[in-house]
Amino acid sequence: GAVVSQHPSRVICKSGTSVKIECRSLDFQATTMFWYRQFPKQSLMLMATSNEGSKATYEQGVEKDKFLINHASLTLSTLTVTSAHPEDSSFYICSARSEGETQYFGPGTRLLVL
Amino acid sequence: GNSVTQMEGPVTLSEEAFLTINCTYTATGYPSLFWYVQYPGEGLQLLLKATKADDKGSNKGFEATYRKETTSFHLEKGSVQVSDSAVYFCALRNNQGGKLIFGQGTELSVKP
């Protein structure tokens, strides 16, 4: 099946710094990419949906200035957590979809803000 | 609105036991239904899917049948293995371009 990678897999940062997470579709062109957040033992919460070359659509309650999403190409999307705080610590998962229905998920990035 | 409800976990089974994880949904129209599996420390992997009523999705010994009359998509496996230990998510999407809506996940633990 299609492969979606994320980098880094794990990151620890100090409070107040910004962290960038990359999501790449390795063997297909992703017209749409999704960013999710998952708290321990909970379901995935959709944060935003992005289409290549256009602004991301954020879900209600997600701060777009806090979580900057760039979908620069058909194979790359980035999520930047700006001025991170301990409450931003979480597991962030990206997902990519081409023109078909199937959505492929990355392995996730665990962010710990100290 | 659209929603997915799964049976609460954790579910603990012995190896070779029969598995059922219940999933029911609420949706307008005719959604596509999915089961995803998340192994510890990893992202989600698509396990199986069904796109219309009475379809049966199957993969790796797991099966689920799209039951429109009961709005259900229960996951079953005849004989579980320790390696099946993971969190299983039921999900729906209402149309081709729509968002995936996930249930809360059910943790499965299989003991040798």
Side-chain angles (χ1 to χ4, degrees), chain A residues 36 38 41-44 46 59 91 93 97 99-103 105-107, chain B residues 32 36 38 42-44 46 49 51 89 93 96-100 102-103 107:
Chain A
Y36 295 84
Q38 185 182 30
K41 298 190 182 296
Q42 294 188 27
S43 190
L44 280 72
L46 180 64
E59 295 299 302
F91 195 50
I93 301 174
R97 190 174 73 199
E99 293 175 359
E101 188 175 54
T102 302
Q103 199 167 314
F105 286 79
Chain B
S32 294
Y36 282 85
Q38 183 180 33
E42 299 182 14
L44 274 68
L46 177 65
K49 67 177 183 180
T51 57
F89 290 92
R93 180 159 62 230
Q96 188 89 358
K99 300 180 293 192
L100 272 174
F102 288 92
E107 182 179 359

PDB file of all heavy atoms in Angstrom, chain A residues 36 38 41-44 46 59 91 93 97 99-103 105-107, chain B residues 32 36 38 42-44 46 49 51 89 93 96-100 102-103 107:
ATOM      1  N   TYR A  36      -3.962  15.314  12.453  1.00  0.00           N
ATOM      2  CA  TYR A  36      -4.739  14.888  13.617  1.00  0.00           C
ATOM      3  C   TYR A  36      -3.884  15.011  14.870  1.00  0.00           C
ATOM      4  O   TYR A  36      -2.653  14.954  14.812  1.00  0.00           O
ATOM      5  CB  TYR A  36      -5.156  13.416  13.486  1.00  0.00           C
ATOM      6  CG  TYR A  36      -6.103  13.107  12.351  1.00  0.00           C
ATOM      7  CD1 TYR A  36      -5.634  12.887  11.064  1.00  0.00           C
ATOM      8  CD2 TYR A  36      -7.473  13.010  12.579  1.00  0.00           C
ATOM      9  CE1 TYR A  36      -6.498  12.582  10.028  1.00  0.00           C
ATOM     10  CE2 TYR A  36      -8.346  12.696  11.550  1.00  0.00           C
ATOM     11  CZ  TYR A  36      -7.850  12.477  10.278  1.00  0.00           C
ATOM     12  OH  TYR A  36      -8.711  12.172   9.265  1.00  0.00           O
ATOM     13  N   GLN A  38      -3.761  13.232  18.796  1.00  0.00           N
ATOM     14  CA  GLN A  38      -4.284  12.116  19.574  1.00  0.00           C
ATOM     15  C   GLN A  38      -3.729  12.175  20.984  1.00  0.00           C
ATOM     16  O   GLN A  38      -2.504  12.154  21.181  1.00  0.00           O
ATOM     17  CB  GLN A  38      -3.911  10.784  18.924  1.00  0.00           C
ATOM     18  CG  GLN A  38      -4.530   9.585  19.606  1.00  0.00           C
ATOM     19  CD  GLN A  38      -4.114   8.275  18.974  1.00  0.00           C
ATOM     20  OE1 GLN A  38      -3.014   8.160  18.442  1.00  0.00           O
ATOM     21  NE2 GLN A  38      -4.979   7.278  19.039  1.00  0.00           N
ATOM     22  N   LYS A  41      -4.793   7.161  24.851  1.00  0.00           N
ATOM     23  CA  LYS A  41      -5.982   6.308  24.967  1.00  0.00           C
ATOM     24  C   LYS A  41      -7.248   7.007  24.476  1.00  0.00           C
ATOM     25  O   LYS A  41      -8.347   6.684  24.912  1.00  0.00           O
ATOM     26  CB  LYS A  41      -6.158   5.824  26.406  1.00  0.00           C
ATOM     27  CG  LYS A  41      -5.001   4.966  26.889  1.00  0.00           C
ATOM     28  CD  LYS A  41      -5.301   4.317  28.206  1.00  0.00           C
ATOM     29  CE  LYS A  41      -4.113   3.504  28.698  1.00  0.00           C
ATOM     30  NZ  LYS A  41      -3.798   2.376  27.810  1.00  0.00           N
ATOM     31  N   GLN A  42      -7.104   7.935  23.552  1.00  0.00           N
ATOM     32  CA  GLN A  42      -8.263   8.599  22.976  1.00  0.00           C
ATOM     33  C   GLN A  42      -8.233   8.494  21.460  1.00  0.00           C
ATOM     34  O   GLN A  42      -7.256   8.044  20.864  1.00  0.00           O
ATOM     35  CB  GLN A  42      -8.295  10.065  23.399  1.00  0.00           C
ATOM     36  CG  GLN A  42      -8.522  10.266  24.880  1.00  0.00           C
ATOM     37  CD  GLN A  42      -8.738  11.718  25.216  1.00  0.00           C
ATOM     38  OE1 GLN A  42      -9.194  12.503  24.400  1.00  0.00           O
ATOM     39  NE2 GLN A  42      -8.425  12.076  26.451  1.00  0.00           N
ATOM     40  N   SER A  43      -9.318   8.914  20.869  1.00  0.00           N
ATOM     41  CA  SER A  43      -9.417   8.841  19.416  1.00  0.00           C
ATOM     42  C   SER A  43      -8.648   9.985  18.768  1.00  0.00           C
ATOM     43  O   SER A  43      -8.087  10.848  19.439  1.00  0.00           O
ATOM     44  CB  SER A  43     -10.886   8.883  19.004  1.00  0.00           C
ATOM     45  OG  SER A  43     -11.006   8.585  17.637  1.00  0.00           O
ATOM     46  N   LEU A  44      -8.633   9.970  17.469  1.00  0.00           N
ATOM     47  CA  LEU A  44      -7.965  11.022  16.719  1.00  0.00           C
ATOM     48  C   LEU A  44      -8.889  12.222  16.588  1.00  0.00           C
ATOM     49  O   LEU A  44     -10.065  12.089  16.251  1.00  0.00           O
ATOM     50  CB  LEU A  44      -7.602  10.540  15.320  1.00  0.00           C
ATOM     51  CG  LEU A  44      -6.354   9.693  15.196  1.00  0.00           C
ATOM     52  CD1 LEU A  44      -6.580   8.324  15.768  1.00  0.00           C
ATOM     53  CD2 LEU A  44      -5.922   9.595  13.736  1.00  0.00           C
ATOM     54  N   LEU A  46      -9.372  15.533  14.432  1.00  0.00           N
ATOM     55  CA  LEU A  46      -8.943  16.228  13.224  1.00  0.00           C
ATOM     56  C   LEU A  46      -8.672  17.688  13.554  1.00  0.00           C
ATOM     57  O   LEU A  46      -9.517  18.370  14.138  1.00  0.00           O
ATOM     58  CB  LEU A  46     -10.015  16.122  12.144  1.00  0.00           C
ATOM     59  CG  LEU A  46      -9.706  16.811  10.813  1.00  0.00           C
ATOM     60  CD1 LEU A  46      -8.492  16.166  10.130  1.00  0.00           C
ATOM     61  CD2 LEU A  46     -10.914  16.759   9.887  1.00  0.00           C
ATOM     62  N   GLU A  59     -10.401  22.938  11.882  1.00  0.00           N
ATOM     63  CA  GLU A  59     -11.604  22.538  12.612  1.00  0.00           C
ATOM     64  C   GLU A  59     -11.885  23.550  13.721  1.00  0.00           C
ATOM     65  O   GLU A  59     -10.979  24.279  14.166  1.00  0.00           O
ATOM     66  CB  GLU A  59     -11.413  21.146  13.207  1.00  0.00           C
ATOM     67  CG  GLU A  59     -11.274  20.056  12.165  1.00  0.00           C
ATOM     68  CD  GLU A  59     -12.491  19.926  11.283  1.00  0.00           C
ATOM     69  OE1 GLU A  59     -13.604  19.689  11.813  1.00  0.00           O
ATOM     70  OE2 GLU A  59     -12.336  20.067  10.051  1.00  0.00           O
ATOM     71  N   PHE A  91       0.467  13.404  20.519  1.00  0.00           N
ATOM     72  CA  PHE A  91       0.875  12.579  19.374  1.00  0.00           C
ATOM     73  C   PHE A  91       0.191  13.185  18.151  1.00  0.00           C
ATOM     74  O   PHE A  91      -1.040  13.264  18.098  1.00  0.00           O
ATOM     75  CB  PHE A  91       0.419  11.137  19.622  1.00  0.00           C
ATOM     76  CG  PHE A  91       1.042  10.106  18.730  1.00  0.00           C
ATOM     77  CD1 PHE A  91       2.411  10.048  18.547  1.00  0.00           C
ATOM     78  CD2 PHE A  91       0.257   9.157  18.087  1.00  0.00           C
ATOM     79  CE1 PHE A  91       2.993   9.080  17.733  1.00  0.00           C
ATOM     80  CE2 PHE A  91       0.827   8.185  17.278  1.00  0.00           C
ATOM     81  CZ  PHE A  91       2.186   8.145  17.105  1.00  0.00           C
ATOM     82  N   ILE A  93      -0.509  13.103  14.140  1.00  0.00           N
ATOM     83  CA  ILE A  93      -0.543  12.143  13.037  1.00  0.00           C
ATOM     84  C   ILE A  93      -1.020  12.844  11.775  1.00  0.00           C
ATOM     85  O   ILE A  93      -2.033  13.549  11.799  1.00  0.00           O
ATOM     86  CB  ILE A  93      -1.490  10.964  13.352  1.00  0.00           C
ATOM     87  CG1 ILE A  93      -1.044  10.233  14.621  1.00  0.00           C
ATOM     88  CG2 ILE A  93      -1.553   9.991  12.182  1.00  0.00           C
ATOM     89  CD1 ILE A  93      -2.016   9.149  15.058  1.00  0.00           C
ATOM     90  N   ARG A  97      -4.287  11.644   1.180  1.00  0.00           N
ATOM     91  CA  ARG A  97      -5.234  10.995   0.281  1.00  0.00           C
ATOM     92  C   ARG A  97      -5.005  11.516  -1.127  1.00  0.00           C
ATOM     93  O   ARG A  97      -4.806  12.706  -1.323  1.00  0.00           O
ATOM     94  CB  ARG A  97      -6.667  11.303   0.740  1.00  0.00           C
ATOM     95  CG  ARG A  97      -7.753  10.518   0.041  1.00  0.00           C
ATOM     96  CD  ARG A  97      -9.104  10.814   0.687  1.00  0.00           C
ATOM     97  NE  ARG A  97      -9.573  12.151   0.348  1.00  0.00           N
ATOM     98  CZ  ARG A  97     -10.502  12.802   1.037  1.00  0.00           C
ATOM     99  NH1 ARG A  97     -11.021  12.273   2.118  1.00  0.00           N
ATOM    100  NH2 ARG A  97     -10.897  14.002   0.655  1.00  0.00           N
ATOM    101  N   GLU A  99      -6.619  10.934  -5.221  1.00  0.00           N
ATOM    102  CA  GLU A  99      -7.973  11.127  -5.728  1.00  0.00           C
ATOM    103  C   GLU A  99      -8.896   9.971  -5.388  1.00  0.00           C
ATOM    104  O   GLU A  99     -10.112  10.072  -5.527  1.00  0.00           O
ATOM    105  CB  GLU A  99      -7.929  11.362  -7.239  1.00  0.00           C
ATOM    106  CG  GLU A  99      -7.246  12.679  -7.585  1.00  0.00           C
ATOM    107  CD  GLU A  99      -7.089  12.878  -9.075  1.00  0.00           C
ATOM    108  OE1 GLU A  99      -7.486  11.986  -9.844  1.00  0.00           O
ATOM    109  OE2 GLU A  99      -6.557  13.929  -9.462  1.00  0.00           O
ATOM    110  N   GLY A 100      -8.322   8.884  -4.930  1.00  0.00           N
ATOM    111  CA  GLY A 100      -9.150   7.765  -4.518  1.00  0.00           C
ATOM    112  C   GLY A 100      -9.711   8.011  -3.136  1.00  0.00           C
ATOM    113  O   GLY A 100      -9.538   9.065  -2.551  1.00  0.00           O
ATOM    114  N   GLU A 101     -10.371   7.006  -2.594  1.00  0.00           N
ATOM    115  CA  GLU A 101     -11.035   7.197  -1.308  1.00  0.00           C
ATOM    116  C   GLU A 101     -10.127   6.900  -0.134  1.00  0.00           C
ATOM    117  O   GLU A 101     -10.302   7.433   0.959  1.00  0.00           O
ATOM    118  CB  GLU A 101     -12.266   6.298  -1.255  1.00  0.00           C
ATOM    119  CG  GLU A 101     -13.141   6.538  -0.065  1.00  0.00           C
ATOM    120  CD  GLU A 101     -14.403   5.718  -0.119  1.00  0.00           C
ATOM    121  OE1 GLU A 101     -14.288   4.487  -0.275  1.00  0.00           O
ATOM    122  OE2 GLU A 101     -15.480   6.292  -0.019  1.00  0.00           O
ATOM    123  N   THR A 102      -9.146   6.040  -0.342  1.00  0.00           N
ATOM    124  CA  THR A 102      -8.372   5.555   0.790  1.00  0.00           C
ATOM    125  C   THR A 102      -7.459   6.643   1.341  1.00  0.00           C
ATOM    126  O   THR A 102      -6.775   7.354   0.599  1.00  0.00           O
ATOM    127  CB  THR A 102      -7.534   4.341   0.386  1.00  0.00           C
ATOM    128  OG1 THR A 102      -8.414   3.326  -0.116  1.00  0.00           O
ATOM    129  CG2 THR A 102      -6.782   3.789   1.592  1.00  0.00           C
ATOM    130  N   GLN A 103      -7.460   6.742   2.662  1.00  0.00           N
ATOM    131  CA  GLN A 103      -6.640   7.712   3.363  1.00  0.00           C
ATOM    132  C   GLN A 103      -5.531   6.939   4.067  1.00  0.00           C
ATOM    133  O   GLN A 103      -5.801   5.989   4.811  1.00  0.00           O
ATOM    134  CB  GLN A 103      -7.520   8.437   4.382  1.00  0.00           C
ATOM    135  CG  GLN A 103      -7.002   9.741   4.868  1.00  0.00           C
ATOM    136  CD  GLN A 103      -8.085  10.509   5.624  1.00  0.00           C
ATOM    137  OE1 GLN A 103      -9.224  10.620   5.184  1.00  0.00           O
ATOM    138  NE2 GLN A 103      -7.706  11.041   6.778  1.00  0.00           N
ATOM    139  N   PHE A 105      -2.162   6.854   6.590  1.00  0.00           N
ATOM    140  CA  PHE A 105      -1.700   7.567   7.761  1.00  0.00           C
ATOM    141  C   PHE A 105      -0.195   7.426   7.952  1.00  0.00           C
ATOM    142  O   PHE A 105       0.393   6.373   7.668  1.00  0.00           O
ATOM    143  CB  PHE A 105      -2.407   7.041   9.015  1.00  0.00           C
ATOM    144  CG  PHE A 105      -3.840   7.487   9.102  1.00  0.00           C
ATOM    145  CD1 PHE A 105      -4.822   6.860   8.360  1.00  0.00           C
ATOM    146  CD2 PHE A 105      -4.198   8.551   9.910  1.00  0.00           C
ATOM    147  CE1 PHE A 105      -6.146   7.283   8.418  1.00  0.00           C
ATOM    148  CE2 PHE A 105      -5.514   8.973   9.983  1.00  0.00           C
ATOM    149  CZ  PHE A 105      -6.482   8.338   9.236  1.00  0.00           C
ATOM    150  N   GLY A 106       0.401   8.488   8.454  1.00  0.00           N
ATOM    151  CA  GLY A 106       1.797   8.443   8.834  1.00  0.00           C
ATOM    152  C   GLY A 106       1.949   7.760  10.186  1.00  0.00           C
ATOM    153  O   GLY A 106       0.966   7.503  10.880  1.00  0.00           O
ATOM    154  N   PRO A 107       3.194   7.498  10.583  1.00  0.00           N
ATOM    155  CA  PRO A 107       3.455   6.779  11.833  1.00  0.00           C
ATOM    156  C   PRO A 107       3.308   7.647  13.073  1.00  0.00           C
ATOM    157  O   PRO A 107       3.359   7.135  14.188  1.00  0.00           O
ATOM    158  CB  PRO A 107       4.892   6.292  11.671  1.00  0.00           C
ATOM    159  CG  PRO A 107       5.515   7.288  10.756  1.00  0.00           C
ATOM    160  CD  PRO A 107       4.432   7.721   9.814  1.00  0.00           C
TER     161      PRO A 107
ATOM    162  N   SER B  32     -19.258   5.404   3.584  1.00  0.00           N
ATOM    163  CA  SER B  32     -18.291   4.314   3.528  1.00  0.00           C
ATOM    164  C   SER B  32     -17.812   4.052   4.949  1.00  0.00           C
ATOM    165  O   SER B  32     -17.700   4.974   5.755  1.00  0.00           O
ATOM    166  CB  SER B  32     -17.098   4.697   2.646  1.00  0.00           C
ATOM    167  OG  SER B  32     -17.506   4.850   1.307  1.00  0.00           O
ATOM    168  N   TYR B  36      -9.652   0.758  11.153  1.00  0.00           N
ATOM    169  CA  TYR B  36      -8.223   1.023  11.196  1.00  0.00           C
ATOM    170  C   TYR B  36      -7.643   0.361  12.431  1.00  0.00           C
ATOM    171  O   TYR B  36      -8.317   0.226  13.461  1.00  0.00           O
ATOM    172  CB  TYR B  36      -7.948   2.532  11.259  1.00  0.00           C
ATOM    173  CG  TYR B  36      -8.094   3.254   9.947  1.00  0.00           C
ATOM    174  CD1 TYR B  36      -9.348   3.718   9.516  1.00  0.00           C
ATOM    175  CD2 TYR B  36      -6.993   3.489   9.128  1.00  0.00           C
ATOM    176  CE1 TYR B  36      -9.472   4.390   8.306  1.00  0.00           C
ATOM    177  CE2 TYR B  36      -7.126   4.154   7.920  1.00  0.00           C
ATOM    178  CZ  TYR B  36      -8.361   4.594   7.523  1.00  0.00           C
ATOM    179  OH  TYR B  36      -8.486   5.256   6.326  1.00  0.00           O
ATOM    180  N   GLN B  38      -4.200   0.435  15.096  1.00  0.00           N
ATOM    181  CA  GLN B  38      -3.031   1.204  15.535  1.00  0.00           C
ATOM    182  C   GLN B  38      -2.231   0.343  16.503  1.00  0.00           C
ATOM    183  O   GLN B  38      -2.672   0.069  17.625  1.00  0.00           O
ATOM    184  CB  GLN B  38      -3.472   2.501  16.221  1.00  0.00           C
ATOM    185  CG  GLN B  38      -2.324   3.392  16.633  1.00  0.00           C
ATOM    186  CD  GLN B  38      -2.785   4.673  17.305  1.00  0.00           C
ATOM    187  OE1 GLN B  38      -3.790   4.701  17.987  1.00  0.00           O
ATOM    188  NE2 GLN B  38      -2.037   5.750  17.101  1.00  0.00           N
ATOM    189  N   GLU B  42       2.599   3.575  16.974  1.00  0.00           N
ATOM    190  CA  GLU B  42       2.552   3.778  15.519  1.00  0.00           C
ATOM    191  C   GLU B  42       1.310   4.538  15.105  1.00  0.00           C
ATOM    192  O   GLU B  42       0.396   4.776  15.893  1.00  0.00           O
ATOM    193  CB  GLU B  42       2.595   2.427  14.803  1.00  0.00           C
ATOM    194  CG  GLU B  42       3.852   1.613  15.085  1.00  0.00           C
ATOM    195  CD  GLU B  42       3.856   0.312  14.305  1.00  0.00           C
ATOM    196  OE1 GLU B  42       3.048   0.148  13.363  1.00  0.00           O
ATOM    197  OE2 GLU B  42       4.683  -0.548  14.639  1.00  0.00           O
ATOM    198  N   GLY B  43       1.265   4.941  13.847  1.00  0.00           N
ATOM    199  CA  GLY B  43       0.079   5.567  13.285  1.00  0.00           C
ATOM    200  C   GLY B  43      -0.945   4.518  12.900  1.00  0.00           C
ATOM    201  O   GLY B  43      -0.788   3.339  13.179  1.00  0.00           O
ATOM    202  N   LEU B  44      -2.003   4.967  12.265  1.00  0.00           N
ATOM    203  CA  LEU B  44      -3.084   4.056  11.908  1.00  0.00           C
ATOM    204  C   LEU B  44      -2.833   3.369  10.579  1.00  0.00           C
ATOM    205  O   LEU B  44      -2.290   3.964   9.652  1.00  0.00           O
ATOM    206  CB  LEU B  44      -4.412   4.831  11.809  1.00  0.00           C
ATOM    207  CG  LEU B  44      -5.183   5.022  13.095  1.00  0.00           C
ATOM    208  CD1 LEU B  44      -4.436   5.938  14.031  1.00  0.00           C
ATOM    209  CD2 LEU B  44      -6.564   5.561  12.808  1.00  0.00           C
ATOM    210  N   LEU B  46      -4.972   1.132   7.595  1.00  0.00           N
ATOM    211  CA  LEU B  46      -6.272   0.658   7.152  1.00  0.00           C
ATOM    212  C   LEU B  46      -6.320  -0.853   7.231  1.00  0.00           C
ATOM    213  O   LEU B  46      -5.454  -1.545   6.681  1.00  0.00           O
ATOM    214  CB  LEU B  46      -6.545   1.124   5.719  1.00  0.00           C
ATOM    215  CG  LEU B  46      -7.851   0.647   5.101  1.00  0.00           C
ATOM    216  CD1 LEU B  46      -9.044   1.230   5.845  1.00  0.00           C
ATOM    217  CD2 LEU B  46      -7.915   1.032   3.629  1.00  0.00           C
ATOM    218  N   LYS B  49     -12.373  -2.171   4.653  1.00  0.00           N
ATOM    219  CA  LYS B  49     -13.400  -1.165   4.408  1.00  0.00           C
ATOM    220  C   LYS B  49     -14.564  -1.771   3.638  1.00  0.00           C
ATOM    221  O   LYS B  49     -14.444  -2.853   3.041  1.00  0.00           O
ATOM    222  CB  LYS B  49     -12.835   0.026   3.638  1.00  0.00           C
ATOM    223  CG  LYS B  49     -12.424  -0.313   2.218  1.00  0.00           C
ATOM    224  CD  LYS B  49     -11.926   0.944   1.491  1.00  0.00           C
ATOM    225  CE  LYS B  49     -11.576   0.626   0.047  1.00  0.00           C
ATOM    226  NZ  LYS B  49     -11.088   1.852  -0.674  1.00  0.00           N
ATOM    227  N   THR B  51     -17.965  -0.125   1.208  1.00  0.00           N
ATOM    228  CA  THR B  51     -18.484   1.127   0.675  1.00  0.00           C
ATOM    229  C   THR B  51     -19.980   1.128   0.454  1.00  0.00           C
ATOM    230  O   THR B  51     -20.559   2.188   0.189  1.00  0.00           O
ATOM    231  CB  THR B  51     -17.782   1.475  -0.642  1.00  0.00           C
ATOM    232  OG1 THR B  51     -17.969   0.386  -1.552  1.00  0.00           O
ATOM    233  CG2 THR B  51     -16.303   1.703  -0.428  1.00  0.00           C
ATOM    234  N   PHE B  89      -9.913   1.138  15.478  1.00  0.00           N
ATOM    235  CA  PHE B  89     -10.802   2.287  15.307  1.00  0.00           C
ATOM    236  C   PHE B  89     -11.776   2.013  14.167  1.00  0.00           C
ATOM    237  O   PHE B  89     -11.362   1.669  13.059  1.00  0.00           O
ATOM    238  CB  PHE B  89     -10.004   3.537  14.946  1.00  0.00           C
ATOM    239  CG  PHE B  89      -9.156   4.076  16.062  1.00  0.00           C
ATOM    240  CD1 PHE B  89      -7.838   3.681  16.190  1.00  0.00           C
ATOM    241  CD2 PHE B  89      -9.689   4.964  16.978  1.00  0.00           C
ATOM    242  CE1 PHE B  89      -7.046   4.178  17.217  1.00  0.00           C
ATOM    243  CE2 PHE B  89      -8.903   5.466  18.013  1.00  0.00           C
ATOM    244  CZ  PHE B  89      -7.579   5.058  18.124  1.00  0.00           C
ATOM    245  N   ARG B  93     -16.980   7.734   6.482  1.00  0.00           N
ATOM    246  CA  ARG B  93     -16.880   8.939   5.674  1.00  0.00           C
ATOM    247  C   ARG B  93     -18.137   9.018   4.840  1.00  0.00           C
ATOM    248  O   ARG B  93     -18.525   8.057   4.188  1.00  0.00           O
ATOM    249  CB  ARG B  93     -15.643   8.941   4.780  1.00  0.00           C
ATOM    250  CG  ARG B  93     -15.558  10.213   3.938  1.00  0.00           C
ATOM    251  CD  ARG B  93     -14.178  10.505   3.426  1.00  0.00           C
ATOM    252  NE  ARG B  93     -13.714   9.456   2.566  1.00  0.00           N
ATOM    253  CZ  ARG B  93     -12.514   8.869   2.714  1.00  0.00           C
ATOM    254  NH1 ARG B  93     -11.716   9.247   3.668  1.00  0.00           N
ATOM    255  NH2 ARG B  93     -12.138   7.938   1.889  1.00  0.00           N
ATOM    256  N   GLN B  96     -17.147  11.080  -0.905  1.00  0.00           N
ATOM    257  CA  GLN B  96     -15.790  10.887  -1.413  1.00  0.00           C
ATOM    258  C   GLN B  96     -14.813  11.929  -0.873  1.00  0.00           C
ATOM    259  O   GLN B  96     -13.681  11.631  -0.582  1.00  0.00           O
ATOM    260  CB  GLN B  96     -15.807  10.962  -2.945  1.00  0.00           C
ATOM    261  CG  GLN B  96     -14.498  10.592  -3.613  1.00  0.00           C
ATOM    262  CD  GLN B  96     -14.403   9.114  -3.900  1.00  0.00           C
ATOM    263  OE1 GLN B  96     -15.296   8.346  -3.571  1.00  0.00           O
ATOM    264  NE2 GLN B  96     -13.328   8.676  -4.514  1.00  0.00           N
ATOM    265  N   GLY B  97     -15.284  13.159  -0.755  1.00  0.00           N
ATOM    266  CA  GLY B  97     -14.363  14.204  -0.318  1.00  0.00           C
ATOM    267  C   GLY B  97     -14.486  14.557   1.139  1.00  0.00           C
ATOM    268  O   GLY B  97     -13.878  15.517   1.606  1.00  0.00           O
ATOM    269  N   GLY B  98     -15.267  13.779   1.879  1.00  0.00           N
ATOM    270  CA  GLY B  98     -15.563  14.134   3.258  1.00  0.00           C
ATOM    271  C   GLY B  98     -14.482  13.731   4.231  1.00  0.00           C
ATOM    272  O   GLY B  98     -13.487  13.107   3.882  1.00  0.00           O
ATOM    273  N   LYS B  99     -14.697  14.111   5.479  1.00  0.00           N
ATOM    274  CA  LYS B  99     -13.754  13.809   6.534  1.00  0.00           C
ATOM    275  C   LYS B  99     -14.024  12.425   7.095  1.00  0.00           C
ATOM    276  O   LYS B  99     -15.164  11.978   7.134  1.00  0.00           O
ATOM    277  CB  LYS B  99     -13.905  14.832   7.672  1.00  0.00           C
ATOM    278  CG  LYS B  99     -13.665  16.259   7.268  1.00  0.00           C
ATOM    279  CD  LYS B  99     -13.831  17.190   8.444  1.00  0.00           C
ATOM    280  CE  LYS B  99     -15.245  17.270   8.941  1.00  0.00           C
ATOM    281  NZ  LYS B  99     -15.425  18.392   9.899  1.00  0.00           N
ATOM    282  N   LEU B 100     -12.964  11.788   7.557  1.00  0.00           N
ATOM    283  CA  LEU B 100     -13.122  10.552   8.304  1.00  0.00           C
ATOM    284  C   LEU B 100     -13.568  10.905   9.712  1.00  0.00           C
ATOM    285  O   LEU B 100     -12.984  11.766  10.355  1.00  0.00           O
ATOM    286  CB  LEU B 100     -11.801   9.792   8.382  1.00  0.00           C
ATOM    287  CG  LEU B 100     -11.469   8.818   7.265  1.00  0.00           C
ATOM    288  CD1 LEU B 100     -10.060   8.277   7.452  1.00  0.00           C
ATOM    289  CD2 LEU B 100     -12.463   7.679   7.208  1.00  0.00           C
ATOM    290  N   PHE B 102     -14.025   9.198  13.385  1.00  0.00           N
ATOM    291  CA  PHE B 102     -13.569   8.018  14.098  1.00  0.00           C
ATOM    292  C   PHE B 102     -14.400   7.749  15.340  1.00  0.00           C
ATOM    293  O   PHE B 102     -14.892   8.666  16.007  1.00  0.00           O
ATOM    294  CB  PHE B 102     -12.114   8.193  14.533  1.00  0.00           C
ATOM    295  CG  PHE B 102     -11.130   8.126  13.413  1.00  0.00           C
ATOM    296  CD1 PHE B 102     -10.726   9.268  12.754  1.00  0.00           C
ATOM    297  CD2 PHE B 102     -10.599   6.907  13.013  1.00  0.00           C
ATOM    298  CE1 PHE B 102      -9.816   9.206  11.714  1.00  0.00           C
ATOM    299  CE2 PHE B 102      -9.685   6.837  11.974  1.00  0.00           C
ATOM    300  CZ  PHE B 102      -9.300   7.982  11.323  1.00  0.00           C
ATOM    301  N   GLY B 103     -14.512   6.483  15.666  1.00  0.00           N
ATOM    302  CA  GLY B 103     -14.985   6.110  16.982  1.00  0.00           C
ATOM    303  C   GLY B 103     -13.868   6.307  17.980  1.00  0.00           C
ATOM    304  O   GLY B 103     -12.752   6.725  17.635  1.00  0.00           O
ATOM    305  N   GLU B 107      -9.268  -0.941  22.631  1.00  0.00           N
ATOM    306  CA  GLU B 107      -7.977  -1.599  22.833  1.00  0.00           C
ATOM    307  C   GLU B 107      -8.181  -3.107  22.984  1.00  0.00           C
ATOM    308  O   GLU B 107      -9.022  -3.564  23.766  1.00  0.00           O
ATOM    309  CB  GLU B 107      -7.296  -1.042  24.089  1.00  0.00           C
ATOM    310  CG  GLU B 107      -5.919  -1.635  24.349  1.00  0.00           C
ATOM    311  CD  GLU B 107      -5.254  -1.054  25.583  1.00  0.00           C
ATOM    312  OE1 GLU B 107      -5.861  -0.172  26.228  1.00  0.00           O
ATOM    313  OE2 GLU B 107      -4.143  -1.493  25.910  1.00  0.00           O
TER     314      GLU B 107
END
